[in-house]
Amino acid sequence: MAITLRRDDWVVAILVGYIALFSAVVVEVSGRGLLRWAVYATVAPLVAAALLPLRHTLVISALSLAAATCIYGVALPVISVGGRVVVVTGVALAGLISLAVCKIRMRLMIARRRLSLVSEASERLGRTLDVTQTAWELAEVAVPAFADYVSVDLFDAVLKGREPPTKPFTEPVALRHVAHRPDAPARTDDELRAEKKEELRDVSLPARYLAACAPARASYVDTTDIEGWPARGHTDQTDAYRMHSAIAVPLCAGGRALGALTLRRHRPPYAFDTDDLALAEEIGTRAAICLDNARRYARERDTAQILQRSLLPRHMPEVAAAEVASRYIPASHSVGVGGDWFDVIPLSGARVALVVGDAVGHGLHASATMTRLRAAVRTLADIDLQPDELLTHLDDVVLRLSTESRPVHETADPDTDDTVGEVGATCLYAVYDPIAGRCTLASAGHLPPVIVTPDHHAEIVDTPLGPSLGLGNLPFESVDVHVPEGSLLALYTDGLIRERHRDLESGVQELLQALSIPEPSLDGRCRAVLGALLNDQPTDDVALLIARTRVLDADHVATRDLPTDPAVVADIRAHVSDQLTAWGLEDAVFTTELIASELVTNAIRYAQSPIQLRLILEERSLICEVSDGSTTTPHLRRARTYDEGGRGLFIVAQLAERWGTRHGRHGKTIWAELITGPAPASGPGQ
């Protein structure tokens, strides 16, 4: 077995050799100026005082005094009694001075180390707003500079961002062993982190220490002391390293205990003293503040994430226009929750709106902004606005939100004001029509979507890039593109392609390459895209929405142009009856006939040509639409007893599941939807 000598051992060996060599030389030259040689007997104690700890300095001083006493007091009789006394006394005084100097040097050294340790703790602790990482930083600071073994035990509520339990603790408390670090160079940090540290332990911590938030110090001489320390499950470390003293410091912040820090020593020959206790308390106080900040941040982040996830669609609606899948990946803990969102909104005429957006900033402010914008988009989509018109109205909403978020008073303190910044966002709004096989979309500062044709060719849709929401008074432009049946439309936020290790152009190329790889299921394609573009936890939130388009052919759509003649209403009833009978919907003939006749009658009476009737058959519903060239919006009203008209829309509203009006560029369309099949079972959200 190899023996490793430390620097102090080498210095001691050299000084002992020097004492022996000096003694031999003095004896050899006895009788020739011995008193002049006596001054060199004080060299070893003085050197030891400058280089060695107190215990070693005491040994060297004792050896020097013993050697001088033997040589000058016994071995050399030629020296007078006065000379002997002078030499021995001088060497003894040199030893005493060496001990005093060594003690002062050691105190100064310990003071410098303590100041350095406090400075290092201030610098390293709290660099990340993560409770577990902060606990490990605390362990790394304390070992080996201050202790030989350290463990950090926290309440389970602290790790989850909740408030810690209140004092006093009348029963044994449950602490989670978060971090520990022995002074064992052979073990790596990965090995230490891989150990079981997430297991709940029933730990008995002295109630008076946690309740008072006061540190404690004890010796391991009495084994009963071990059972009272926070890491009772690590008594094997006490036996393995022969630890002789320990300090327990409750980690308290804001008058509440978050957990406990335990420090142990086995290698130094001296136990922890009162100064060490004060130093441990100082480090524990700084660590507790950082841990409490991380806990509060975790609580805010979890709240924002819960808010965001609760408002994102949990279930993708089943629509005839497309099959849809989505993924949402939150950013890393160090960044915070963002304002990314996506949505799938069924529209009239079997159409579907695909939305993806990104609110500016992170945290609760971004989540709240996202919530309000998503609600606004749904409200505007419900009145069937064109994509460019919808973004114009949404821009006005963002401007109003920005005005509301500003301080009411000009003298408001920005540090205490509740606002967190200006409101802004990007948004892409696309409407796909499965009957025409076309998609109309507009962008407000958002990245353009990707279309993947059935032959797996992926390309960026050439979309006019409008200004971001919140700038105001700037126009938006829509684009209409043909989408072949079975194509994929991929909408995403910039967190998917914008990473530190690549630029935006490279990210777009990687996205196109990932989307062009054949994959039968949309869920599998989402997983493949995220796996190809994201390495670890993303630095920004990621929202991905993929839709596989469908087309409703002539077997599902019946269209008929109508003249402005009231006599055509009877023909319409017959046409509706024949068409529904051909579709196997005999049970819905009467209701649909009545709705169609009322809508056509209103169009002939109050609107203008061209007038068109269209029946759309979906899997579980039937849609009846009547279009005309007028832009006048009809209003539902309750007719009085003796009124001759005004009951048409009221009858439609009573018979239909849903009804509404949408305006186009050349008129309007009144539509009514009837349910013809069982309600779909919603699939899980992604």
Side-chain angles (χ1 to χ4, degrees):
M1 181 177 178
I3 299 177
T4 302
L5 295 179
R6 295 179 297 177
R7 184 186 70 90
D8 292 350
D9 298 330
W10 281 108
V11 174
V12 170
I14 292 173
L15 292 179
V16 171
Y18 170 80
I19 294 173
L21 179 62
F22 171 75
S23 301
V25 170
V26 170
V27 173
E28 181 67 25
V29 298
S30 60
R32 290 178 291 178
L34 291 177
L35 292 178
R36 288 184 304 170
W37 288 83
V39 69
Y40 293 103
T42 62
V43 172
L46 296 178
V47 172
L51 300 177
L52 297 177
L54 186 62
R55 180 167 60 101
H56 292 163
T57 302
L58 178 60
V59 172
I60 296 300
S61 299
L63 289 176
S64 299
L65 180 60
T69 302
C70 293
I71 294 173
Y72 290 96
V74 179
L76 301 177
V78 296
I79 301 177
S80 63
V81 175
R84 298 174 192 273
V85 173
V86 170
V87 172
V88 173
T89 304
V91 174
L93 289 176
L96 294 176
I97 294 174
S98 299
L99 293 176
V101 170
C102 181
K103 190 172 183 180
I104 295 174
R105 181 178 64 84
M106 294 301 294
R107 287 185 175 274
L108 292 176
M109 185 182 301
I110 291 174
R112 284 197 300 269
R113 288 180 180 176
R114 286 171 175 165
L115 290 176
S116 176
L117 187 62
V118 173
S119 176
E120 183 181 4
S122 301
E123 179 181 354
R124 295 185 61 180
L125 293 179
R127 291 183 298 182
T128 60
L129 290 173
D130 183 80
V131 175
T132 302
Q133 182 62 30
T134 303
W136 276 100
E137 291 172 353
L138 175 58
E140 292 169 357
V141 166
V143 174
F146 185 56
D148 299 311
Y149 182 84
V150 62
S151 64
V152 182
D153 301 86
L154 302 175
F155 290 112
D156 189 62
V158 175
L159 293 174
K160 297 178 180 179
R162 301 197 301 264
E163 292 291 336
T166 56
K167 55 188 180 181
F169 307 105
T170 57
E171 298 178 355
V173 293
L175 298 179
R176 188 183 291 270
H177 188 56
V178 180
H180 71 282
R181 188 178 183 88
D183 185 16
R187 310 186 67 190
T188 64
D189 289 347
D190 293 337
E191 292 174 341
L192 293 175
R193 291 174 183 264
E195 292 182 351
K196 286 186 177 181
K197 55 182 182 295
E198 297 297 327
E199 180 183 356
L200 278 173
R201 300 174 181 270
D202 184 14
V203 183
S204 295
L205 187 68
R208 61 181 181 277
Y209 299 145
L210 275 179
C213 284
R217 177 170 56 94
S219 171
Y220 279 144
V221 176
D222 187 358
T223 57
T224 58
D225 291 336
I226 303 176
E227 299 180 357
W229 297 106
R232 186 178 58 184
H234 302 285
T235 54
D236 56 333
Q237 298 289 344
T238 305
D239 298 333
Y241 294 104
R242 295 181 180 177
M243 296 179 182
H244 52 74
S245 63
I247 289 178
V249 179
L251 300 173
C252 298
R256 285 193 171 187
L258 308 177
L261 167 67
T262 306
L263 305 163
R264 298 174 177 81
R265 278 184 182 173
H266 72 87
R267 207 160 44 185
Y270 44 86
F272 287 113
D273 56 20
T274 55
D275 293 334
D276 293 326
L277 186 63
L279 176 60
E281 186 177 9
E282 174 68 21
I283 296 176
T285 300
R286 295 173 183 264
I289 294 174
C290 296
L291 288 170
D292 192 53
N293 291 337
R295 178 191 65 82
R296 294 175 183 272
Y297 170 77
R299 181 180 61 183
E300 178 181 343
R301 186 181 187 279
D302 291 344
T303 302
Q305 197 170 58
I306 291 173
L307 173 63
Q308 187 177 38
R309 286 190 177 275
S310 65
L311 295 170
L312 290 175
R314 296 188 178 183
H315 306 285
M316 291 291 100
E318 291 191 12
V319 293
E323 177 190 359
V324 183
S326 63
R327 287 291 188 277
Y328 172 77
I329 307 297
S332 61
H333 292 278
S334 59
V335 178
V337 177
D340 295 18
W341 90 91
F342 60 89
D343 214 341
V344 178
I345 308 173
L347 300 178
S348 63
R351 299 169 304 142
V352 63
L354 306 175
V355 190
V356 66
D358 185 3
V360 174
H362 293 87
L364 285 174
H365 179 68
S367 295
T369 301
M370 177 272 291
T371 303
R372 303 168 83 172
L373 293 182
R374 180 171 179 261
V377 169
R378 278 190 161 268
T379 302
L380 295 172
D382 190 55
I383 58 178
D384 270 319
L385 294 176
Q386 293 294 320
D388 54 343
E389 296 178 5
L390 184 143
L391 292 182
T392 300
H393 287 283
L394 190 62
D395 185 53
D396 294 337
V397 172
V398 174
L399 288 175
R400 287 196 297 270
L401 293 178
S402 298
T403 303
E404 294 172 1
S405 66
R406 293 172 186 152
V408 178
H409 305 288
E410 296 181 357
T411 59
D413 186 0
D415 296 331
T416 59
D417 192 71
D418 293 335
T419 59
V420 190
E422 295 294 328
V423 177
T426 64
C427 182
L428 178 68
Y429 185 80
V431 176
Y432 173 68
D433 187 349
I435 299 176
R438 304 192 68 82
C439 182
T440 305
L441 48 91
S443 172
H446 202 85
L447 296 171
V450 175
I451 183 172
V452 184
T453 57
D455 59 354
H456 308 295
H457 173 69
E459 63 179 359
I460 297 292
V461 179
D462 188 11
T463 308
L465 184 63
S468 298
L469 298 174
L471 298 181
N473 300 323
L474 294 175
F476 297 96
E477 184 178 351
S478 296
V479 63
D480 190 63
V481 296
H482 174 67
V483 182
E485 183 179 6
S487 299
L488 298 181
L489 285 173
L491 288 70
Y492 53 92
T493 56
D494 58 354
L496 181 63
I497 62 175
R498 197 190 302 272
E499 286 286 339
R500 298 174 182 173
H501 63 277
R502 63 168 179 256
D503 55 17
L504 189 61
E505 183 177 355
S506 300
V508 171
Q509 295 302 320
E510 292 183 22
L511 176 61
L512 294 176
Q513 183 178 359
L515 285 171
S516 62
I517 299 175
E519 177 65 40
S521 69
L522 291 185
D523 286 339
R525 192 176 290 270
C526 287
R527 288 192 298 268
V529 170
L530 295 179
L533 275 77
L534 301 180
N535 295 327
D536 299 319
Q537 191 75 7
T539 57
D540 194 6
D541 285 20
V542 174
L544 175 63
L545 181 64
I546 300 180
R548 178 181 284 119
T549 61
R550 303 187 182 111
V551 171
L552 297 180
D553 53 20
D555 294 336
H556 294 80
V557 181
T559 305
R560 184 171 179 176
D561 295 327
L562 305 176
T564 57
D565 183 4
V568 79
V569 175
D571 295 336
I572 290 301
R573 288 178 177 271
H575 170 71
V576 169
S577 177
D578 294 340
Q579 186 62 60
L580 266 61
T581 301
W583 283 341
L585 300 177
E586 291 83 356
D587 295 340
V589 169
F590 175 77
T591 303
T592 309
E593 281 183 352
L594 185 55
I595 291 176
S597 62
E598 291 294 339
L599 294 180
V600 170
T601 300
N602 283 343
I604 294 175
R605 179 177 297 179
Y606 302 110
Q608 60 189 29
S609 60
I611 301 175
Q612 184 185 75
L613 170 68
R614 186 169 70 170
L615 300 176
I616 304 173
L617 176 64
E618 292 187 331
E619 184 177 357
R620 299 179 180 86
S621 63
L622 175 67
I623 301 174
C624 178
E625 295 183 345
V626 175
S627 303
D628 58 63
S630 172
T631 58
T632 303
T633 302
H635 297 283
L636 177 66
R637 67 184 182 88
R638 186 179 297 274
R640 297 180 181 180
T641 305
Y642 298 105
D643 288 347
E644 296 182 358
R647 296 177 176 84
L649 287 182
F650 180 78
I651 294 174
V652 171
Q654 295 300 313
L655 296 177
E657 181 72 19
R658 295 189 305 150
W659 76 280
T661 304
R662 69 173 182 268
H663 291 269
R665 301 191 184 278
H666 304 289
K668 70 175 183 299
T669 299
I670 303 177
W671 57 271
E673 181 179 356
L674 291 85
I675 301 301
T676 59
S682 300
Q686 305 296 332

